[in-house]
Amino acid sequence: QAARALASYQRGELSLAQLQQNAIWILKAVMKTNCFHKKDFGKIHTLSEGKNVISAIDVNGLSSTRVLQDKREDGTWYLYHLNRDCRSQRTFVFFSVIAPKEDDYTISAELSTNCPETQIWFYDSDEEKLATIFCDSAVDENAWYTLDAKIHLKQGLNILKMVFANEPNTEYPYADMGWENFPKEDIKFANLIITTL
């Protein structure tokens, strides 16, 4: 369907305004579903005792269509172009995890970045900040680092919002920068690791 829509657009049979309106209708329909309101998109990870590794591509939701995925040499997937979305806003992903008990956990992100100011913020479904991972020691874009923070999870379902802030002290305006103006800094994210203490 996407190829046919693109071909129709290129032939002038569909306008950009029509494509945008269709996208709006689809998104409005999705936003009316119970799954959207619960932030439940089918990927729920049940934590076990010890170390739990969740692949970056097993997200429950993603804020930007600009984010891409690729494989590392060992065959594992990672996400990239996480620095900003098309509105120049911070990119975020959702993970849904079921914790066996209310407790403190270690939360780790396996990542690569070339921006020393990068921080990763974790929020719960009420937008309460739970933890921050500081990436100032992981600034080699050709290496992968695992960086940790402590996080408190309640028993049962926890919706974790993971925000990638490559300039944490900058507020981004809602303005289309144009693809050619996007910053060269990037954040690559391979795995979320949650470990019981």
Side-chain angles (χ1 to χ4, degrees):
Q1 295 289 18
R4 287 195 302 188
L6 177 61
S8 294
Y9 172 72
Q10 290 171 335
R11 289 191 303 267
E13 298 167 358
L14 276 176
S15 69
L16 180 59
Q18 289 171 311
L19 291 171
Q20 290 171 333
Q21 186 59 54
N22 287 342
I24 289 169
W25 288 333
I26 291 168
L27 291 173
K28 282 184 176 180
V30 169
M31 288 166 50
K32 290 180 182 178
T33 66
N34 287 333
C35 287
F36 181 85
H37 290 287
K38 294 177 185 175
K39 296 184 176 74
D40 175 8
F41 302 102
K43 301 255 185 193
I44 299 176
H45 306 279
T46 301
L47 303 180
S48 58
E49 290 294 322
K51 183 177 180 180
N52 298 268
V53 179
I54 303 170
S55 172
I57 62 170
D58 283 333
V59 295
N60 199 358
L62 184 61
S63 70
S64 174
T65 57
R66 181 176 181 266
V67 175
L68 299 175
Q69 63 188 35
D70 201 355
K71 278 188 179 179
R72 298 190 289 185
E73 289 181 9
D74 66 0
T76 58
W77 290 92
Y78 67 92
L79 300 176
Y80 65 103
H81 283 181
L82 289 163
N83 51 354
R84 297 182 194 176
D85 71 9
C86 61
R87 299 164 303 167
S88 193
Q89 298 294 300
R90 294 183 179 101
T91 302
F92 59 86
V93 297
F94 288 108
F95 287 94
S96 297
V97 298
I98 296 176
K101 60 181 179 178
E102 180 168 351
D103 209 344
D104 291 329
Y105 295 80
T106 299
I107 193 157
S108 309
E110 186 179 1
L111 58 89
S112 174
T113 183
N114 58 1
C115 182
E117 292 83 19
T118 298
Q119 293 178 15
I120 299 175
W121 303 331
F122 291 91
Y123 293 87
D124 64 14
S125 57
D126 295 322
E127 293 295 322
E128 180 181 336
K129 196 171 193 179
L130 303 174
T132 300
I133 290 178
F134 297 91
C135 304
D136 52 348
S137 63
V139 291
D140 181 352
E141 64 185 320
N142 298 311
W144 290 90
Y145 297 86
T146 302
L147 304 173
D148 307 329
K150 299 289 185 258
I151 193 168
H152 189 83
L153 299 178
K154 64 183 183 183
Q155 182 177 12
L157 181 64
N158 293 266
I159 307 295
L160 299 177
K161 180 180 179 182
M162 188 175 178
V163 179
F164 298 89
N166 73 324
E167 293 178 22
N169 298 318
T170 302
E171 290 298 324
Y172 299 143
Y174 277 87
D176 186 0
M177 293 175 59
W179 298 111
E180 69 281 357
N181 295 320
F182 269 91
K184 293 185 172 38
E185 293 84 10
D186 197 10
I187 305 163
K188 300 174 188 174
F189 169 55
N191 291 302
L192 179 68
I193 304 162
I194 303 176
T195 309
T196 54
L197 296 176

